[in-house]
Amino acid sequence: MRIALFATCLADTLFPEAAKATVLLLERLGHEVVFPFEQTCCGQMHVNTGYQKEALPLIKRYVRTFEPYDVIVAPSGSCVGSIRHQHSMVAAKHGEAGLAARASAVGERTYELSELLIDVLKIEDVGAFYPHKVTYHPTCHSLRMTRVGDKPLRLLRQVRGLDLVELPAADQCCGFGGTFALKNAETSTAMLADKMTNIVSTGADVCSAGDASCLMHIGGGLSRLRTGVRTVHLAEILASTES
Amino acid sequence: MTTFLGMPATAPRGVGNLRGEQTFPEAAHEALANSQMRRNLRHATTTIRGKSGKVIAELPDWQALRDAGSAIKADVMSRLPDLLLELEQKVTDAGGVVHWAADANEANAIVTRLVRETGSDRVIKVKSMATQEIGLNEALEEAGIAPVETDLAELIVQLGHDKPSHILVPAIHRNRSEIREIFLREMPGVDPALTDDPPVLAAAARKYLRETFLSTKVAVSGANFAVAETGTLAVVESEGNGRMCLTLPDTLITVMGIEKVVPTWQDLEVFLQLLPRASTGERMNPYTTMWTGVTPGDGPQNFHLILLDNGRSAVLADEVGRSALHCIRCSACLNVCPVYERAGGHSYGSVYPGPIGAVLSPQLTGIEDNASLPYASSLCGACFDACPVKIDIPSLLVHLRDKAPHPRSERAAMAAAAWLMDKPKMYASAQRAAKLARIAGRRGRGLPPPLSGWTAGRDLPEFPSQTFRDWWAAR
Ligand code: SF4
């Protein structure tokens, strides 16, 4: 299958390993990945901070860039949720009915990685090997906006060598929330502190998630506390093999 | 010729409890330092969450009930004026008197006048968000009338000269030893040997309240629902204090937000199932008191209904924002909200705290007066899933943020980022430039605000040696 990759601005700039892993994984599974260079950002940060007008060109760019493709994947449940639910909403609110219709059509063809693997490519065992004790944080937008459900866990359960340990209060927000982490820094860190306590309590050496943004937040906290727990994107675990 | 009368007015300044003195981050800063309050809050919300989840799971048609509740509310909002006129007619037919109050000042003046006309200098009160909203107690006290709260938690707040911090459990931020101290200090005629055993505390409040019920002739209540087709008012509660207030006095004055009307009795059926399970985690609320106008020889012989706007028409005028009026004040969204759990109810500055407060208060007051509230959320969406009438609070927050006044520097930064992100080639070189700047800055310590907020508790990631884009191009 020919799959277009939306790397997301965050993975492209700060966490290229997550996007690279997505490419290597899909290629290993026998698919062709294309990266349209015209892409930049889905505009979620702008929409969620209250700048819908400013987000409009970014939404147009996304729609224009990915309209030619039948299947689009992004290693981020949050961006996929925004693309699916916010793009058409913002376009409609700004009187762009045509764009709204195109945006929801492209949105329907945009998948989060675990959705692509399980719903579209119909595969749960991707042949990965990852000999570590891992706990998984489901992230709010993956869970409640994109509704990926237990798909990431189903994929992880098939990974050889991986010891999956349950995260207490897993569905509680880690406190990132985009610009929330800056505008309400103290509340955000209080939420992060509880998330870290739960992560450390599992005894895992790796905390994984499907969103680089939340991992950046959690990883930043874990590193400050010198817990020794690493954060690794789901795509990197799935891309990892024995050799 | 134009018939445009201007936009409906928002709730007036200088009266009531919809505006805080501080922004949310400022108020949260103080609350976060209070570890006792955080423990009290976490314990209480975790308990209610668990209870509620269990009884909700018993109902196979919970999702269908939520859909029904949401649909009824949408219907009510689409024909609110007609339903209110119908309600007025039916209440009047049944011997009640209906008053319309455009805002808090008018409502307070009407209640004060009505109480004065009875000659009483004291009123007993049923727990009510609407009267908290308009600052009725303060207005009555100023007029020389003593309001006595009869809901236990509300009484604790009143005696403690405190403000409520939760819709349902106003004293959620207090534990029992704090309550004992408040009673000993403030409750008239309390036993000096009072312990902090909950039944002992309840008994003390009960004795005090009994005397008050039997000697006070006027009661003030809110209303959970009003049925337009018969003019029936309904109050649901757990302690029975409300029932006493609603049946014992000669005069009953009810202050009700105009959004509380439902068309028919059949609609009540839906809400009376949704409310207790979402709210207190009970299958049915213990006391449901309903009354229709006046019944000679039974219950209060004078009944007044005050229909309160106080900004609600302005909320209704916003097609997206109006769904905040669907709220039935169950407080489920508070109990699941991770921000509320840490920052506490007082940080929201309004009688409406938590996620619903973050979308309702700024709409009632006009967003300039509560501009920080729509940002008091990480948009995690737990509130949306918990809401029994399916109010999409995250979308409302995003909608209100778009209308909020923005700091000039933030607006400039956002505009610049959007401009750059619409130019892939320049964007790619900016990514490389940012990396160089970071190498110069070393791990981001000492960044200017708002980025300093990040580095206060979290490290920044190291910039990778190559962006994904460059890796792809080099492959
Ligand atoms: S918004 Fe929904 S969950 Fe929150 S108090 Fe209102 S009805 Fe309950």
Side-chain angles (χ1 to χ4, degrees), chain B residues 164-290:
Chain B
S165 66
H166 188 276
I167 294 180
L168 195 80
V169 202
I172 197 166
H173 56 295
R174 298 290 198 180
N175 65 20
R176 56 193 179 148
S177 76
E178 293 174 292
I179 294 168
R180 174 179 168 268
E181 278 163 36
I182 293 172
F183 279 13
L184 278 178
R185 206 171 54 231
E186 303 279 344
M187 188 180 280
V190 77
D191 178 359
L194 191 72
T195 69
D196 69 356
D197 191 26
V200 174
L201 290 172
R206 190 187 183 88
K207 181 163 164 289
Y208 165 66
L209 287 173
R210 273 290 148 97
E211 287 158 14
T212 315
F213 287 136
L214 294 172
S215 58
T216 310
K217 297 288 167 217
V218 187
V220 175
S221 86
N224 290 96
F225 305 101
V227 184
E229 67 174 350
T230 55
T232 303
L233 277 292
V235 163
V236 299
E237 38 113 18
S238 309
E239 294 171 3
N241 300 324
R243 165 91 33 110
M244 304 276 256
C245 296
L246 296 162
T247 50
L248 286 177
D250 296 336
T251 301
L252 172 58
I253 304 165
T254 298
V255 183
M256 178 191 109
I258 52 173
E259 80 280 19
K260 298 270 168 165
V261 66
V262 298
T264 70
W265 274 78
Q266 218 183 346
D267 301 315
L268 267 190
E269 178 195 326
V270 174
F271 296 113
L272 292 183
Q273 291 181 77
L274 287 171
L275 183 57
R277 285 186 201 252
S279 162
T280 45
E282 289 164 306
R283 299 187 176 87
M284 196 181 162
N285 65 282
Y287 294 87
T288 303
T289 309
M290 301 196 188

Side-chain angles (χ1 to χ4, degrees), chain B residues 135-174:
Chain B
L136 178 64
N137 287 7
E138 293 90 317
L140 288 174
E141 277 163 9
E142 205 159 295
I145 300 164
V148 182
E149 294 290 350
T150 67
D151 174 83
L152 181 54
E154 205 68 68
L155 179 68
I156 295 165
V157 169
Q158 190 182 35
L159 291 176
H161 309 289
D162 198 358
K163 295 217 171 200
S165 66
H166 188 276
I167 294 180
L168 195 80
V169 202
I172 197 166
H173 56 295
R174 298 290 198 180

Side-chain angles (χ1 to χ4, degrees), chain A:
Chain A
M1 191 179 282
R2 187 158 175 265
I3 299 161
L5 173 71
F6 174 50
T8 80
C9 62
L10 191 65
D12 180 10
T13 312
L14 277 177
F15 300 97
E17 294 309 322
K20 278 188 226 171
T22 306
V23 174
L24 299 176
L25 167 68
L26 293 173
E27 287 178 349
R28 186 177 85 218
L29 295 172
H31 303 283
E32 182 200 350
V33 180
V34 281
F35 178 80
F37 264 98
E38 293 300 296
Q39 66 175 282
T40 54
C41 164
C42 68
Q44 182 181 197
M45 176 184 75
H46 285 88
V47 175
N48 285 353
T49 315
Y51 295 86
Q52 296 190 12
K53 200 166 56 63
E54 287 79 357
L56 206 57
L58 301 179
I59 294 171
K60 283 186 185 151
R61 164 167 300 278
Y62 182 87
V63 171
R64 235 178 6 214
T65 306
F66 288 100
E67 218 164 25
Y69 303 97
D70 293 333
V71 175
I72 305 132
V73 69
S76 161
S78 184
C79 299
V80 172
S82 179
I83 288 160
R84 266 189 220 158
H85 300 289
Q86 293 185 330
H87 278 190
S88 56
M89 180 273 289
V90 172
K93 222 163 106 177
H94 288 80
E96 305 240 15
L99 177 68
R102 287 166 60 203
S104 48
V106 181
E108 275 170 36
R109 304 200 298 272
T110 305
Y111 300 90
E112 183 267 348
L113 179 61
S114 73
E115 292 178 324
L116 175 81
L117 292 168
I118 291 187
D119 295 344
V120 183
L121 306 179
K122 313 278 181 209
I123 180 165
E124 275 190 37
D125 184 349
V126 296
F129 174 77
Y130 195 78
H132 297 280
K133 193 165 175 181
V134 176
T135 194
Y136 193 78
H137 171 55
T139 82
C140 305
H141 283 181
S142 290
L143 206 61
R144 303 198 188 89
M145 187 151 68
T146 311
R147 304 268 174 205
V148 304
D150 66 348
K151 284 165 202 150
L153 292 176
R154 280 159 62 189
L155 292 161
L156 286 176
R157 275 187 211 115
Q158 303 298 328
V159 175
R160 269 164 286 287
L162 189 147
D163 178 11
L164 186 63
V165 283
E166 199 185 320
L167 178 65
D171 60 358
Q172 272 236 359
C173 178
C174 70
F176 174 60
T179 44
F180 173 79
L182 301 175
K183 283 180 181 275
N184 283 287
E186 289 178 277
T187 309
S188 167
T189 357
M191 290 158 71
L192 175 62
D194 292 340
K195 181 58 70 183
M196 290 195 293
T197 305
N198 286 325
I199 292 170
V200 171
S201 81
T202 64
D205 44 86
V206 169
C207 173
S208 183
D211 281 279
S213 50
C214 304
L215 287 177
M216 172 174 74
H217 183 236
I218 295 170
L222 290 170
S223 135
R224 177 65 57 93
L225 288 187
R226 305 188 190 290
T227 58
V229 184
R230 286 178 303 133
T231 47
V232 178
H233 194 282
L234 173 70
E236 291 174 63
I237 294 182
L238 297 180
S240 150
T241 53
E242 202 146 1
S243 50

Side-chain angles (χ1 to χ4, degrees), chain A residues 40 51 183 186 194 223, chain B residues 29 342 410 421-422 459 475:
Chain A
T40 54
Y51 295 86
K183 283 180 181 275
E186 289 178 277
D194 292 340
S223 135
Chain B
H29 172 74
R342 273 77 183 190
E410 181 189 276
M421 282 166 162
D422 200 21
D459 286 340
R475 258 182 121 199

